[in-house]
Amino acid sequence: MAKKNFKSGIDGLLQPSIPEKKADKEKIISVKATYYYNSEQLNKIKAIAFYDRKPIGRVIAEALETYIQSYEDLSKAQKLKR
C-alpha cells in the first residue's frame, strides 16, 4: 500500500473544504419553501435540469426570473402607453 502524504499537517485539516467566495456588493438570500407542482410539469422540469446539468431549483429560479422580467417589461410598456 502507498503511504499517504500528510505534509500539510493540522493546518490542512482545518482548511474549509469549499472555498469561500468573495462577498458581492449585493447579497442574495435564499429561503427554503415548499410548493405543489403538477406532476407532469415537474417531470418536464426534472428533464430540463438533467439535460442542462443544473439543479432543479436553479431551473425553477431561472423560469421564475424570466416570468418576472416579462411582467416587469409589460408594466413598463403599459406605463408608456398612457
Side-chain angles (χ1 to χ4, degrees), residues 34-46:
T34 303
Y35 297 97
Y36 291 97
Y37 291 96
N38 175 306
S39 62
E40 196 172 303
Q41 288 176 334
L42 184 58
N43 287 334
K44 290 177 184 179
I45 291 168
K46 287 179 180 181

Side-chain angles (χ1 to χ4, degrees), residues 1-28:
M1 277 181 30
K3 187 176 178 182
K4 301 225 178 199
N5 185 2
F6 292 108
K7 288 184 180 178
S8 60
I10 192 80
D11 292 335
L13 296 173
L14 297 177
Q15 297 293 327
S17 59
I18 300 173
E20 294 180 17
K21 295 181 181 178
K22 293 182 180 179
D24 294 333
K25 291 180 182 177
E26 187 177 309
K27 196 172 192 177
I28 299 173

